[in-house]
């Protein structure tokens, strides 16, 4: 899903609708939902399609049109950067699903009932560039990996959330910002080389890019709206336990924060490749920041354990721990006094 070729999309003439659960039929296995939210996105008229997304305010995106259906009314929400093709498809979709009771809502002019249907207001992807209908530069995604034996950054076209590889580092270029998304299984070489690659990418770009373009580091499972807004139909349940970025930030504080690279990249790379000094569990468990040995990261105490102590504390190996979703890792660390 999300990788449909042009000849397939042409069959639907810009009217493809993808329902959560895989069916729109009332006889389907899913219980009928009175509140549903559809994101409508297109590059041109023939590529227009609607994805059903979670009915939360955090799912909104200034670059697209959204159709919100409730038991009594159907709202057409036009993001500031949405295209004419997206708006036309939304109107046709609304005609099929609204029973004639429709309301058009411009971004920034939402009635209270609109937000109530979505569970209340919440931050969403409304970056300045997402509010622009016509942009000269499309966002680009690169997979940074050394799985072939040498480090390569390979571009992924027509990208979606599923293209983010947990084993690698992904570079997302949105022109005025660069994001380095760190997969939970990315190795130290990939992390370090990706930082260098991001700077070289800016220096050698044929459009004479600003070498001071902001570079941000994002951990898997802690993606902010400024990042997720570039992916159609982002699913917060995939890595974040169904929690929005704001909820994670409120609950976890600095652990969920994104990091802007402001120091010399050579120093950052050295830090990424550095080995960790090991300490006994009693020097780390239930210790506050000021009580920890010098150099221990309070958000990653587990890295200061030997492999044997790690298994003793957590009851599983580092490899099994690394395979857990981010939110499960955090809950386990909390239960063991390592958070």
């Amino acid at each position: 899903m999300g990788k449909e070729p042009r000849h397939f999309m042409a069959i639907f003439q810009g009217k493809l609708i993808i329902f959560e659960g895989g069916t729109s039929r009332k006889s389907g296995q899913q219980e009928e939902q009175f509140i549903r939210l559809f994101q409508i996105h297109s590059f041109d008229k023939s590529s227009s399609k609607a994805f059903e997304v979670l009915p939360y305010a955090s799912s909104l995106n200034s670059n697209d049109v959204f159709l919100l259906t409730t038991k009594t009314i159907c709202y057409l929400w036009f993001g500031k950067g949405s295209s004419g093709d997206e708006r036309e498809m939304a109107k046709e979709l609304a005609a099929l699903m609204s029973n004639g009771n429709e309301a058009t809502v411009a971004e920034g002019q939402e009635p209270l009932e609109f937000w109530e249907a979505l569970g209340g207001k919440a931050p969403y992807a409304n970056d300045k560039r997402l509010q622009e209908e016509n942009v000269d530069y499309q966002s680009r995604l690169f997979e940074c990996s050394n799985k072939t034996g040498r480090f390569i950054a390979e571009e992924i076209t027509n990208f979606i959330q599923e293209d983010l590889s947990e084993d690698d580092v992904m570079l997302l270029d949105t022109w005025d910002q660069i994001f380095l998304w760190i997969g939970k299984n990315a190795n130290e070489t990939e992390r370090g080389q990706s930082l260098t690659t991001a700077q070289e990418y800016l220096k050698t770009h044929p459009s004479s890019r600003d070498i001071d373009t902001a570079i941000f580091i994002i951990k898997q499972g802690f993606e902010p709206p400024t990042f997720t807004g570039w992916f159609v139909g982002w699913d917060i349940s995939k890595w974040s336990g169904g929690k929005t970025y704001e909820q994670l930030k409120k609950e976890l504080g600095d652990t969920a924060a994104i990091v802007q690279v402001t120091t010399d990249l050579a120093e950052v790379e050295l830090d990424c490749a550095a080995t960790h000094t090991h300490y006994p569990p009693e020097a780390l468990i239930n210790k506050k920041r000021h009580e920890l040995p010098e150099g221990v990261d309070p958000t990653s105490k587990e890295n200061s354990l030997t492999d044997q102590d790690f298994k003793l504390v957590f009851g599983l190996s580092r490899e099994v721990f690394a395979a857990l979703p981010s939110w499960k890792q955090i809950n386990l660390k909390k239960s063991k006094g390592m958070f």
Side-chain angles (χ1 to χ4, degrees), residues 209-226:
R209 298 282 291 277
D210 182 358
I211 61 172
D212 292 324
T213 297
I215 300 174
F216 295 96
I217 297 175
I218 296 173
K219 301 176 186 176
Q220 177 185 333
F222 301 103
E223 297 85 2
T226 50

Side-chain angles (χ1 to χ4, degrees), residues 1-4 39 41 43 49 51 61 63-64 129-130 137-143 154-165 170-175 177 179 181 201 226-234:
M1 186 182 74
K3 292 286 190 179
E4 298 83 5
Q39 180 177 6
H41 182 83
F43 295 107
K49 52 187 169 184
F51 294 81
N61 187 320
N63 201 236
D64 294 323
R129 284 198 65 243
L130 291 172
Y137 182 86
Q138 297 294 330
S139 56
R140 304 174 72 183
L141 182 71
F142 297 84
E143 180 180 15
E154 184 175 1
E155 184 170 11
I156 298 174
T157 59
N158 191 26
F159 60 84
I160 57 177
Q161 183 180 1
E162 283 68 26
D163 287 316
L164 298 176
S165 171
M170 310 298 293
L171 186 155
L172 176 66
D173 176 17
T174 67
W175 186 260
Q177 295 178 325
F179 294 96
W181 181 88
Y201 172 78
T226 50
F227 177 84
T228 61
W230 301 98
F231 296 80
V232 179
W234 182 273

Side-chain angles (χ1 to χ4, degrees), residues 113-325:
E113 294 78 11
F114 175 85
W115 295 118
E116 288 178 342
L118 292 173
K121 280 188 176 183
Y124 61 88
N126 60 354
D127 182 85
K128 183 178 179 180
R129 284 198 65 243
L130 291 172
Q131 297 180 23
E132 300 172 2
E133 179 178 348
N134 298 307
V135 293
D136 296 327
Y137 182 86
Q138 297 294 330
S139 56
R140 304 174 72 183
L141 182 71
F142 297 84
E143 180 180 15
C144 304
S145 174
N146 66 349
K147 61 186 176 185
T148 62
R150 63 191 183 96
F151 183 82
I152 298 175
E154 184 175 1
E155 184 170 11
I156 298 174
T157 59
N158 191 26
F159 60 84
I160 57 177
Q161 183 180 1
E162 283 68 26
D163 287 316
L164 298 176
S165 171
E166 298 183 356
D167 296 327
D168 298 314
V169 174
M170 310 298 293
L171 186 155
L172 176 66
D173 176 17
T174 67
W175 186 260
D176 55 349
Q177 295 178 325
I178 299 286
F179 294 96
L180 289 175
W181 181 88
I182 312 298
K184 66 180 182 182
N185 297 326
N187 59 51
E188 297 297 338
T189 299
E190 291 167 340
R191 296 175 189 231
Q193 288 292 325
S194 295
L195 286 167
T196 304
T197 298
Q199 191 177 54
E200 288 301 315
Y201 172 78
L202 290 171
K203 286 181 178 178
T204 59
H205 198 282
S207 298
S208 300
R209 298 282 291 277
D210 182 358
I211 61 172
D212 292 324
T213 297
I215 300 174
F216 295 96
I217 297 175
I218 296 173
K219 301 176 186 176
Q220 177 185 333
F222 301 103
E223 297 85 2
T226 50
F227 177 84
T228 61
W230 301 98
F231 296 80
V232 179
W234 182 273
D235 181 7
I236 61 174
S237 65
K238 186 174 178 67
W239 296 309
S240 306
K243 296 180 180 179
T244 66
Y245 179 69
E246 289 301 314
Q247 290 172 325
L248 289 171
K249 228 178 24 168
K250 185 176 180 180
E251 179 181 332
L252 305 174
D254 291 343
T255 302
I258 64 174
V259 177
Q260 182 173 358
V261 177
T262 56
T263 57
D264 183 84
L265 287 183
E267 295 178 6
V268 176
E269 182 177 353
L270 180 62
D271 180 65
C272 286
T275 57
H276 297 280
T277 302
H278 295 136
Y279 295 95
E282 56 268 24
L284 305 169
I285 295 175
N286 293 322
K287 298 296 183 182
K288 296 180 180 180
R289 183 187 293 265
H290 68 276
E291 298 175 321
L292 291 170
E294 184 178 355
V296 173
D297 182 352
T299 65
S300 303
K301 296 180 186 178
E302 67 278 8
N303 291 335
S304 297
L305 291 170
T306 64
D307 289 342
Q308 183 177 358
D309 285 338
F310 186 99
K311 194 167 185 178
L312 182 66
V313 171
F314 291 102
L316 41 78
S317 66
R318 290 187 190 274
E319 292 73 22
V320 174
F321 179 83
L324 296 174

